[in-house]
């Protein structure tokens, strides 16, 4: 059981705490005239929701992996889907607030890399999750 909690902590540390939307919101130039527009401020509300989702996923993903007996594909697919929505919303935040938005190709690359890291870290922790 101690290995499981170590694995959970390792996965949490590797996953990071901030969503892409939150990181984008932090990098915005608040002096840009577009920052004060209603469109920008409305899109910034998405950053808060993605932050909360990211924090919940950090705990829920390893727990779901453990409870499912190690079914990695559904957990990785769900996380990749949520990452895609987060990156698309981050691009909208950047565009609406006067910053340079990621292209669809950049979003796809980032999501794929995130999924690969998720698989790699799950593979590292997978042995600990099934150990008794």
């Amino acid at each position: 059981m101690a290995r499981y909690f170590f694995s959970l902590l390792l996965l949490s540390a590797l996953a990071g705490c901030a969503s892409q939307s939150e990181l984008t919101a932090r990098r915005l130039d608040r002096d840009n005239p577009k920052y004060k527009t209603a469109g920008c401020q409305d899109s910034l509300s998405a950053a808060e929701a993605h932050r909360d989702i990211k924090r919940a996923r950090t705990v829920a993903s390893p727990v779901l992996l453990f409870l499912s007996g190690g079914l990695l594909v559904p957990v990785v697919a769900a996380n990749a889907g949520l990452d895609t929505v987060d990156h698309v919303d981050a691009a909208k935040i950047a565009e609406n607030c006067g910053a340079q938005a990621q292209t669809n190709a950049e979003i796809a690359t980032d999501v794929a890399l995130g999924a690969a890291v998720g698989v790699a870290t799950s593979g590292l922790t997978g042995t600990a999750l099934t150990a008794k």
Side-chain angles (χ1 to χ4, degrees), residues 57-118:
R57 284 178 25 198
T58 301
V59 174
S61 292
V63 170
L64 288 173
L65 186 61
F66 177 74
L67 292 175
S68 71
L71 294 176
L72 182 61
V73 173
V75 175
V76 171
N79 281 327
L82 290 169
D83 278 345
T84 301
V85 172
D86 181 27
H87 278 73
V88 168
D89 284 350
K92 288 178 187 174
I93 289 169
E95 185 178 323
N96 289 337
C97 297
Q100 184 173 352
Q102 276 190 314
T103 65
N104 289 341
E106 291 169 332
I107 290 171
T109 300
D110 283 354
V111 171
L113 287 173
V117 168

Side-chain angles (χ1 to χ4, degrees), residues 3 19 46 53 55 70 83 85 90 113 117 129:
R3 286 184 180 178
S19 69
I53 291 168
R55 287 180 181 164
D83 278 345
V85 172
L113 287 173
V117 168
L129 292 174

Side-chain angles (χ1 to χ4, degrees), residues 1 8 12 17 20 27 30 39 49-50 72-73 85 94-96 108 115 119 124 127:
M1 193 56 126
L8 177 65
S12 296
C17 295
Q20 187 65 31
R27 291 186 205 125
R30 295 172 190 252
H50 285 294
L72 182 61
V73 173
V85 172
E95 185 178 323
N96 289 337
V119 168
L124 291 174
T127 56

